[in-house]
Amino acid sequence: MNQLPELFRTAPAVFAAGEDYQIMVPVNAQALFWVEVGEHKFYDHANGIMVSDTDMHRVCVPQNILDEAKSYTTVYRKIINRKPYFPETEEEVRTTFAFSPIRGFDETDTVRFYHIADTHGRPEKPIEAGKYFGENLDFLILNGDIIDHSGDTGNFEVIFRIAEALTGGKKPVICSRGNHDMRGFCAERIKDYTPAVNGKTYYTTRLGDLYFIILDCAEDKDDSSPEYGHTVACHAFREEQTAYLYDIAAHPETTTKAPGVVHTFVISHMPFTHIDNPPFDIEQDTYREWTRILTEEIQPELLIAGHMHRAEIWMPGGKNDAYGQDFPAVICAEPCRDGSYIGGAFTVTREDVSYLLTDDSRNVAELHKN
Ligand SMILES: [Fe+2]
């Protein structure tokens, strides 16, 4: 990995979100920040003002530009004195990172990605599990509850620690929100610390010939739960996503059936296709509708989820199929009682998707093919 400049608390993470890569990096001092890709410059600015009063920088780079360039250069100037007139900054510090875009199936036979969730602030074993493909990993999915709670903005760093260890800022990462991320003083600011599209933590994105719908079930109990003390409005947030799914289904030519798209995956921290025990048996009408839209109109290959602290495959018609899904739900994030960790290793070809449940010693627990 590159020698990191002293400002960076971790390597940058290159999140795929919408049609962009959101290049984000946690920092330890005030600085102006931008990214150069070829002749293009992408600034972290707020309506023309370069942002420095932050511990997390982000720039959005159109995916096609970075895919073509295959490298990017982070540039910063630390602040000396940001006075109203003639502010003073240090010299530029530049660091170049190679980047490996995801190739389409015209260029490659196989795309490999690893799925991690539910690390709850303890990244060591999940990182070991995530090394399953070694250098052949193409991209990473971090699917919620990576942190244990959002009580402090410093907690978000663990997301970047895992991305650093497994991608080094050189490969894409898809990141979603889990229910534990909803908790704590800084939860309302998570969109400033993780990828979001127009401020929303649900979105779509594409990598090579793979299309992703990232959904956010938010909390796991009803909004009225005393545990939340009136601080959540998740039902309204889920209704937004019902409309969003209808919108995706209404425009297949630009989403799941866009030219070149071969497989569609739904990424959600929670496997909403089953009904959990009370008080977690919420939103049945909403989740039935989501499942129906997906099954009848969008037809994804798989739902990939965590949250259950299990590593299981839930097939259509099985005991966990509450609403009649026609796609498997792959539950692949298990922090085990003995301290080990199981995640999901996915290998995608034009024809099929196979997935393994693998642990931090690279043992394979189960193999499935779709
Ligand atoms: Fe969870």
Side-chain angles (χ1 to χ4, degrees):
M1 181 160 50
N2 296 42
Q3 181 73 32
L4 289 181
E6 50 125 355
L7 179 76
F8 293 180
R9 283 158 49 199
T10 71
V14 182
F15 295 112
E19 296 182 355
D20 290 338
Y21 294 118
Q22 299 190 0
I23 299 177
M24 300 180 67
V25 61
V27 297
N28 54 34
Q30 294 199 348
L32 313 175
F33 178 81
W34 67 100
V35 169
E36 297 181 4
V37 182
E39 62 198 20
H40 304 277
K41 293 184 179 184
F42 302 93
Y43 299 96
D44 186 4
H45 74 94
N47 301 302
I49 301 293
M50 294 283 286
V51 172
S52 62
D53 185 18
T54 184
D55 55 358
M56 181 71 71
H57 282 289
R58 164 177 14 216
V59 299
C60 293
V61 177
Q63 288 192 358
N64 59 329
I65 290 178
L66 185 51
D67 285 351
E68 198 166 308
K70 297 185 177 62
S71 76
Y72 62 94
T73 299
T74 60
V75 194
Y76 68 81
R77 284 179 180 273
K78 283 178 82 170
I79 297 290
I80 299 171
N81 185 357
R82 195 166 182 164
K83 54 197 176 185
Y85 297 93
F86 304 99
E88 298 168 27
T89 62
E90 294 182 2
E91 290 299 305
E92 288 182 7
V93 177
R94 307 171 64 86
T95 311
T96 297
F97 295 84
F99 180 74
S100 301
I102 307 306
R103 292 172 292 172
F105 293 117
D106 288 344
E107 296 179 51
T108 186
D109 294 335
T110 308
V111 176
R112 301 175 183 87
F113 65 91
Y114 202 88
H115 173 275
I116 289 170
D118 300 292
T119 66
H120 292 279
R122 302 173 64 174
E124 295 81 11
K125 295 286 186 176
I127 286 171
E128 289 307 309
K131 292 177 180 173
Y132 181 78
F133 289 122
E135 284 300 306
N136 291 324
L137 178 78
D138 289 307
F139 66 95
L140 176 68
I141 296 182
L142 299 177
N143 198 2
D145 288 5
I146 299 299
I147 61 176
D148 199 39
H149 61 80
S150 298
D152 186 291
T153 59
N155 292 9
F156 298 117
E157 190 173 311
V158 71
I159 295 170
F160 292 81
R161 287 259 163 246
I162 299 173
E164 174 184 70
L166 296 175
T167 74
K170 299 173 182 172
K171 301 173 181 182
V173 181
I174 289 177
C175 184
S176 80
R177 188 175 69 162
N179 55 307
H180 282 262
D181 307 1
M182 306 278 297
R183 299 166 190 173
F185 301 115
C186 304
E188 65 194 79
R189 297 174 59 196
I190 197 165
K191 66 178 170 40
D192 299 326
Y193 286 85
T194 59
V197 176
N198 299 321
K200 301 294 186 183
T201 52
Y202 59 87
Y203 50 88
T204 60
T205 197
R206 182 171 168 177
L207 290 171
D209 293 339
L210 313 183
Y211 191 76
F212 295 89
I213 301 172
I214 292 93
L215 295 174
D216 186 345
C217 292
E219 271 296 358
D220 59 355
K221 296 174 285 297
D222 190 78
D223 289 353
S224 62
S225 170
E227 188 172 321
Y228 310 138
H230 311 286
T231 61
V232 299
C234 297
H235 177 66
F237 177 69
R238 295 182 196 106
E239 285 187 320
E240 284 179 28
Q241 291 174 80
T242 306
Y244 187 63
L245 282 173
Y246 274 114
D247 195 49
I248 293 168
H251 299 94
E253 69 283 358
T254 56
T255 58
T256 57
K257 303 281 191 298
V261 170
V262 174
H263 301 288
T264 294
F265 299 92
V266 177
I267 309 298
S268 169
H269 175 68
M270 285 189 209
F272 52 83
T273 50
H274 93 123
I275 301 172
D276 210 335
N277 297 322
F280 308 109
D281 55 338
I282 61 168
E283 292 285 14
Q284 293 182 23
D285 289 347
T286 301
Y287 292 152
R288 179 179 290 106
E289 195 168 7
W290 288 14
T291 305
R292 189 200 65 73
I293 302 167
L294 290 169
T295 293
E296 295 180 7
E297 303 186 46
I298 293 176
Q299 297 164 335
E301 197 80 37
L302 300 172
L303 163 65
I304 303 174
H307 182 62
M308 307 304 297
H309 290 207
R310 289 187 226 165
E312 297 176 353
I313 316 300
W314 295 353
M315 297 304 286
K319 65 179 169 50
N320 291 305
D321 173 3
Y323 306 120
Q325 73 207 56
D326 74 345
F327 47 87
V330 183
I331 319 301
C332 47
E334 182 173 3
C336 306
R337 285 180 197 279
D338 65 1
S340 62
Y341 180 88
I342 299 173
F346 293 74
T347 302
V348 188
T349 66
R350 187 184 290 278
E351 289 73 31
D352 55 44
V353 182
S354 57
Y355 37 103
L356 306 168
L357 304 174
T358 73
D359 71 11
D360 51 276
S361 301
R362 301 190 194 188
N363 297 312
V364 175
E366 256 184 83
L367 166 66
H368 290 267
K369 205 157 195 172
N370 225 34

